[in-house]
Amino acid sequence: MKNNIPPEPNKGKRPLGNAKNSKVSENPNTNKWTKLPDPVDIKPGSELYGKARAFLLKSFTRSYREYTVPCFVSDGDPTETDSQVPLAWRPTNTLYLKLECPAVQPPLLVTSSNGNNILDFNQVFVGNKVIKRFTVQNISMEPLDLRSSLLDIHGPFSLVNAMRGVGPGEKHTLVLAFSPTMEKKYCEKLEVQTPKMVLEITLQGEGVLPDVTLSPTGDLLDFGYVLEKEITSQHVQLQNSSVVAVDYRVLLASQSLPSPQHGPDRVDLLLDGYRGSQIHPAVGTQNYSGLSVFSVTPVEGSIDPGQKQNITITFQPDHPSVCYSDKLTIELINKSKVCVMDLKGVASSHNMYLYGGDPLTVPIESLLPSLIIPHPKLTEAEENRSVHALVTLQASCKAGVIRPAVRELQVGCIRSPHTSKKCGEFYWDDVATLQQQGFQLEPVKGTVEAGHRRSVAITWTPQSGHKPFEVIQVCAPLTVKSDEIIIYRVTLMAVVSSTAD
């Protein structure tokens, strides 16, 4: 019967055909029949192939066939010179092999992965775990007791759930996990056993290592000086050079549970033991408002192969402090760390500041603001703010030769859109008195552009007649001017040491 049968004229009859195997075109202008797919075009492993295979297995009927195969036995061995010469044989030496071939319906049918019994986990990061499911169905007329073979206990594959019995028509899903420990390809066989059938499942996967880099590199991200209640941000970039997508998350120490081992370090800090050590708190001063000083966005995400992701770190202090700090950790889903970076920042209530010198307090502050008692009236001199600073200098004395001590301070000016001042100036007072004690300051005065710092070198040379172990102490007022006038009362303490470098 032809596929295309036009209707008879003037009768409006529908074309003849099998409605189960044919379909009328949706185009109203044509009444052509759509062809069934050619079996050659159905590729093994495709969805259509899986549906067709499942349909055939479910509708399969038992059959029995016999085959007789004649086996001719030669009278001698083939010659060594010419193996193509026909061998001599006799009909009386012919053996007949009878093959009985019963064909029965398999009791189990794979219904997942288009009927494919290969479960491929593809590429998985070392240390990560991926779970996939494999479903089988009982297509027999009797219940089946399912069992499985044992997987390598030291291998990456594992069967998560237990096997159970399934009734006719019921399905059972095997939950399988793949957790590679090395960078290589893995393959293992798992057998699903029934009394009349063994279904073999091929498990395969590849362990790969993540290749994620951070730019810029380094273990410190310093936000420098900013005005209180202002916001400043910096960016870092993650690049995924791996062959698969990478999931990441960003952690801040201030928003994580405290670690028990930090207790002794904080005690040492509070007992003033930090001066000569490398102990520094991971989390420093926090905002009075209770909000985090440092914040990160986004805190987690996924990066496709060959792609990049920008991470923004924001510094927003709400009061002046030199002790703002935090620790930033970026880790992947397999717990491997891309970076561990210290965050540091300083907030000031005015745009001129003095950087350097010796610490006068421990680097841990109380969140409670200082108690300010209102004064009825302040004089003009009292209105000028004063800040204390300390600089210690040690001159070395070896083999009777004294080498001067040198320290460096920096005077800076904060760039801010909220201030009209674009620069500031500074100068030292009472320089003559300092010179009499052996101190030299360079420069004595100068200007600083907004967003920059200027170095001030302090040199101390012991005067003639200096007594051993004598401590020289003077106060050097440093005045800075910009949006406000601030006086830094810098205490200079100098001594000669035989152990100083």
Side-chain angles (χ1 to χ4, degrees):
M1 182 174 60
K2 295 183 179 180
N3 290 332
N4 299 328
I5 304 177
E8 297 181 7
N10 302 325
K11 291 186 178 181
K13 293 184 180 180
R14 298 179 63 182
L16 299 176
N18 189 352
K20 294 182 179 180
N21 297 329
S22 303
K23 184 178 180 181
V24 178
S25 174
E26 296 179 357
N27 190 346
N29 298 325
T30 63
N31 285 326
K32 294 183 179 181
W33 297 90
T34 58
K35 295 182 179 181
L36 292 175
D38 191 342
V40 180
D41 298 332
I42 302 177
K43 297 181 179 180
S46 64
E47 182 179 0
L48 187 59
Y49 179 89
K51 290 181 178 180
R53 183 175 181 272
F55 174 79
L56 292 176
L57 288 176
K58 289 181 180 180
S59 60
F60 181 83
T61 56
R62 182 173 180 174
S63 63
Y64 178 83
R65 292 185 180 181
E66 290 185 357
Y67 299 91
T68 302
V69 181
C71 301
F72 302 101
V73 181
S74 67
D75 294 337
D77 297 330
T79 60
E80 297 181 357
T81 58
D82 191 358
S83 59
Q84 302 296 329
V85 176
L87 298 176
W89 62 278
R90 289 179 295 175
T92 57
N93 291 340
T94 303
L95 300 178
Y96 293 91
L97 179 64
K98 183 179 181 180
L99 300 178
E100 298 179 353
C101 303
V104 297
Q105 183 188 47
L108 279 183
L109 174 67
V110 180
T111 60
S112 60
S113 303
N114 296 326
N116 194 353
N117 63 341
I118 298 177
L119 190 60
D120 193 354
F121 289 86
N122 299 313
Q123 293 172 321
V124 178
F125 286 131
V126 173
N128 194 18
K129 177 184 287 187
V130 173
I131 293 178
K132 286 194 174 184
R133 289 166 171 80
F134 189 88
T135 303
V136 295
Q137 183 182 11
N138 179 9
I139 59 175
S140 67
M141 302 303 295
E142 57 185 17
L144 297 177
D145 185 17
L146 300 183
R147 296 185 180 181
S148 68
S149 60
L150 297 178
L151 293 170
D152 184 4
I153 59 175
H154 300 293
F157 301 103
S158 60
L159 180 60
V160 178
N161 62 336
M163 305 295 289
R164 62 175 178 83
V166 289
E170 292 183 354
K171 296 182 179 181
H172 178 65
T173 299
L174 287 75
V175 182
L176 297 157
F178 176 54
S179 180
T181 57
M182 298 178 63
E183 186 183 10
K184 68 175 187 178
K185 294 182 178 180
Y186 295 88
C187 185
E188 195 169 350
K189 302 289 185 179
L190 176 68
E191 293 182 351
V192 179
Q193 303 165 352
T194 69
K196 297 182 179 180
M197 176 185 177
V198 175
L199 176 64
E200 190 177 76
I201 306 173
T202 302
L203 308 178
Q204 62 186 28
E206 182 180 1
V208 296
L209 292 176
D211 185 9
V212 180
T213 56
L214 180 77
S215 61
T217 59
D219 55 1
L220 176 64
L221 189 61
D222 192 353
F223 286 82
Y225 277 74
V226 300
L227 292 177
E228 60 176 324
K229 300 180 181 179
E230 283 196 353
I231 302 176
T232 182
S233 299
Q234 295 194 34
H235 305 276
V236 296
Q237 188 178 77
L238 291 174
Q239 180 172 1
N240 180 20
S241 302
S242 310
V243 294
V244 295
V246 176
D247 294 333
Y248 70 92
R249 64 174 182 171
V250 186
L251 305 174
L252 287 175
S254 60
Q255 300 178 8
S256 305
L257 294 177
S259 179
Q261 63 267 23
H262 291 162
D265 295 347
R266 299 178 72 87
V267 172
D268 291 340
L269 291 169
L270 294 173
L271 293 179
D272 205 20
Y274 68 93
R275 290 179 182 271
S277 68
Q278 298 299 322
I279 300 175
H280 299 284
V283 180
T285 301
Q286 298 297 299
N287 282 335
Y288 290 155
S289 62
L291 300 177
S292 297
V293 181
F294 297 94
S295 58
V296 181
T297 182
V299 296
E300 61 182 11
S302 179
I303 311 175
D304 293 330
Q307 299 300 314
K308 300 178 181 180
Q309 174 66 52
N310 289 327
I311 297 177
T312 303
I313 302 101
T314 303
F315 177 48
Q316 186 177 7
D318 65 358
H319 69 279
S321 177
V322 297
C323 302
Y324 289 116
S325 64
D326 210 332
K327 187 177 291 292
L328 174 75
T329 303
I330 302 178
E331 67 179 20
L332 305 181
I333 192 172
N334 62 350
K335 302 299 182 181
S336 63
K337 293 180 173 56
V338 179
C339 77
V340 178
M341 183 182 299
D342 291 321
L343 306 180
K344 180 182 177 182
V346 179
S348 175
S349 57
H350 40 271
N351 62 339
M352 289 290 291
Y353 62 89
L354 178 66
Y355 176 78
D358 297 82
L360 295 177
T361 60
V362 294
I364 301 176
E365 294 181 2
S366 171
L367 289 179
L368 296 177
S370 58
L371 180 61
I372 301 176
I373 302 177
H375 197 279
K377 187 176 181 180
L378 297 177
T379 63
E380 182 179 355
E382 291 173 335
E383 289 180 355
N384 293 334
R385 299 183 178 181
S386 61
V387 182
H388 293 277
L390 173 65
V391 178
T392 58
L393 300 98
Q394 289 186 354
S396 64
C397 179
K398 294 183 179 180
V401 178
I402 297 179
R403 187 169 61 181
V406 180
R407 291 287 298 273
E408 187 178 273
L409 297 177
Q410 291 184 341
V411 181
C413 183
I414 301 174
R415 185 193 304 273
S416 173
H418 300 91
T419 57
S420 58
K421 296 290 185 179
K422 301 301 180 182
C423 64
E425 59 179 304
F426 67 93
Y427 59 88
W428 294 88
D429 294 325
D430 204 5
V431 177
T433 304
L434 299 176
Q435 293 175 348
Q436 293 175 2
Q437 299 292 334
F439 294 97
Q440 296 290 332
L441 305 175
E442 180 62 34
V444 177
K445 62 180 179 179
T447 59
V448 183
E449 296 292 332
H452 293 81
R453 293 180 182 177
R454 186 164 183 181
S455 299
V456 177
I458 304 176
T459 306
W460 179 67
T461 304
Q463 301 293 310
S464 58
H466 177 77
K467 299 179 181 180
F469 307 108
E470 180 183 5
V471 178
I472 304 298
Q473 178 176 332
V474 295
C475 181
L478 171 64
T479 303
V480 295
K481 292 182 178 181
S482 184
D483 55 346
E484 297 181 14
I485 298 177
I486 304 168
I487 300 176
Y488 285 90
R489 302 192 178 277
V490 183
T491 299
L492 305 177
M493 296 182 64
V495 66
V496 178
S497 173
S498 58
T499 60
D501 295 333

